[in-house]
Amino acid sequence: NAGVTQTPKFQVLKTGQSMTLQCAQDMNHEYMSWYRQDPGMGLRLIHYSVGAGITDQGEVPNGYNVSRSTTEDFPLRLLSAAPSQTSVYFCASSYDLAGGLGTTDTQYFGPGTRLTVL
Amino acid sequence: QQQVKQSPQSLIVQKGGIPIINCAYENTAFDYFPWYQQFPGKGPALLIAIRPDVSEKKEGRFTISFNKSAKQFSLHIMDSQPGDSATYFCAAAIQGAQKLVFGQGTRLTINP
């Protein structure tokens, strides 16, 4: 298993440009999410999905779009990049986040994408 | 508004010492409390997790202590090693809500 893969590893954008961060998992996980990591802020949830065709907003969704057409893929779109979106982005997946006792609740993170917006 | 507050921001301990990282939460509906370990250039990885029906959980050299009445939980690392040097995040979630809320992170350095 490749686990959770993210592309690209690094990206530099100019203000106003758009791009898509790719995320894929091969563990047949229903739950996938996107986080951004900023110094002193921990990881903040951007968007998440509990299955194909189902997405919802997290803590900091503004400026980002997501879709989930397949179980495996969960791309994150930046519509018009701003310097405030400079961050490290992590995708994660799990079988069942915080499930009941006896369930598998490990959330697996990808290696991250370091994005700089000039 | 930070729902999970983590301290300290950074911590330096000598090899063999017992670093302690503390977290406090506000929402009494939280019922799942994981800790993640992150090495430079890598994504976080689940280290250990606890649910509020127990006050302590040990896995190897890592122990979570949980105080439900104080709404606090902490990570202890016994016999710490330089290889434990990493950033540690606490988090909290509500079962079934599928949302993890993270603390700010603690950069831990274990000196040889």
Side-chain angles (χ1 to χ4, degrees):
Chain A
N1 283 351
V4 180
T5 58
Q6 291 183 240
T7 56
K9 291 182 82 72
F10 302 94
Q11 183 69 50
V12 179
L13 291 178
K14 294 181 180 178
T15 296
Q17 286 185 315
S18 63
M19 79 158 295
T20 300
L21 279 62
Q22 301 292 344
C23 174
Q25 54 91 9
D26 61 359
M27 297 174 281
N28 202 31
H29 286 164
E30 290 295 326
Y31 175 75
M32 296 185 74
S33 56
W34 277 101
Y35 295 87
R36 59 177 290 172
Q37 182 176 16
D38 302 292
M41 305 287 288
L43 290 99
R44 292 180 292 169
L45 183 65
I46 304 171
H47 286 285
Y48 67 101
S49 169
V50 297
I54 306 169
T55 64
D56 205 348
Q57 296 182 348
E59 183 183 353
V60 289
N62 292 341
Y64 307 95
N65 269 1
V66 292
S67 60
R68 183 96 178 270
S69 57
T70 67
T71 299
E72 294 78 20
D73 301 297
F74 191 43
L76 178 72
R77 298 182 187 82
L78 279 71
L79 308 173
S80 178
S84 61
Q85 293 178 305
T86 293
S87 187
V88 182
Y89 291 85
F90 289 100
C91 178
S93 76
S94 66
Y95 172 71
D96 181 13
L97 183 70
L101 288 173
T103 64
T104 301
D105 53 20
T106 299
Q107 189 174 37
Y108 296 89
F109 281 80
T113 294
R114 186 173 292 273
L115 176 67
T116 302
V117 183
L118 302 175
Chain B
Q1 182 183 355
Q2 193 76 30
Q3 292 192 59
V4 178
K5 295 183 179 179
Q6 183 173 345
S7 62
Q9 261 192 307
S10 63
L11 184 58
I12 300 174
V13 172
Q14 290 299 117
K15 177 183 173 183
I18 305 175
I20 301 172
I21 304 171
N22 300 298
C23 285
Y25 62 97
E26 295 291 327
N27 190 344
T28 54
F30 287 143
D31 57 3
Y32 173 68
F33 303 92
W35 284 89
Y36 286 80
Q37 181 187 54
Q38 184 182 31
F39 293 106
K42 304 291 186 182
L46 180 67
L47 187 63
I48 184 173
I50 196 169
R51 299 186 186 273
D53 52 333
V54 296
S55 60
E56 186 177 277
K57 182 174 181 180
K58 291 183 181 181
E59 285 188 5
R61 295 183 294 108
F62 300 91
T63 299
I64 300 178
S65 298
F66 185 79
N67 186 330
K68 189 173 181 178
S69 61
K71 294 186 288 184
Q72 294 176 349
F73 57 110
S74 60
L75 177 71
H76 303 232
I77 306 175
M78 308 301 290
D79 187 26
S80 59
Q81 302 296 314
D84 296 329
S85 296
T87 298
Y88 291 81
F89 294 96
C90 63
I94 300 169
Q95 180 179 323
Q98 306 293 358
K99 290 185 184 182
L100 262 182
V101 179
F102 282 84
Q104 299 93 322
T106 297
R107 179 173 288 185
L108 174 65
T109 302
I110 308 297
N111 285 331

